[in-house]
Amino acid sequence: MTGIVIVVHAPLGEAMREFAIHVLGESGNLMAVHDVQPDDMPEDIAPAVLRDIREADRGQGVLVLTDLVGATPANIAKRAVDDAQALGTECCVVAGLNTSMLLRALTSRDQGLAQARAKALAGGVQGCLQVD
């Protein structure tokens, strides 16, 4: 099963966890969440994210989801993924987290990292539609 770690601006991570539990039940809680606060320093948070990536790895890699490319949480996620890869953990970062992306990631995590990443990206894009 692919592990999932969320690294986002606070309080989005806990809100995403609550959303996933609301929709999927307790299986929606199967992820590590890092809500990055405005005064958090990347060098202080990246080691905890790395630890969670390593703990989430069950042999099929880890998908790290973040909200905004180039922002502090994404930079922390990228640093932690680079360190995890150097230690032999298969993992990647996907940015643009939204509810559709999260649901697709959680419901496809048994298909391996490449498939979970592809499904998460597709869900993120397909979940953005004009509805009127």
Side-chain angles (χ1 to χ4, degrees):
M1 180 173 294
T2 301
I4 296 177
V5 175
I6 295 176
V7 184
V8 292
H9 290 91
L12 183 57
E14 280 305 317
M16 287 293 198
R17 181 194 308 273
E18 292 299 318
F19 162 76
I21 292 169
H22 175 78
V23 174
L24 300 174
E26 281 304 310
S27 66
N29 194 28
L30 300 174
M31 67 191 108
V33 174
H34 291 271
D35 273 327
V36 178
Q37 302 294 328
D39 58 345
D40 283 342
M41 300 304 294
E43 58 273 9
D44 296 334
I45 306 300
V49 174
L50 172 60
R51 183 191 68 243
D52 284 345
I53 290 170
R54 304 271 295 162
E55 288 177 8
D57 187 17
R58 299 287 183 258
Q60 290 191 336
V62 179
L63 181 61
V64 180
L65 303 173
T66 191
D67 50 357
L68 188 61
V69 173
T72 300
N75 294 336
I76 291 168
K78 179 65 174 136
R79 179 183 299 181
V81 162
D82 288 346
D83 291 345
Q85 289 172 335
L87 294 170
T89 301
E90 184 182 10
C91 52
C92 64
V93 179
V94 173
L97 179 61
N98 61 32
T99 54
S100 299
M101 178 185 288
L102 180 58
L103 288 180
R104 290 280 187 96
L106 286 167
T107 58
S108 63
R109 58 191 298 179
D110 62 330
Q111 300 172 20
L113 179 58
Q115 191 68 7
R117 178 183 55 220
K119 296 276 186 171
L121 285 167
V125 171
Q126 293 167 357
C128 296
L129 302 169
Q130 183 173 333
V131 183
D132 62 355

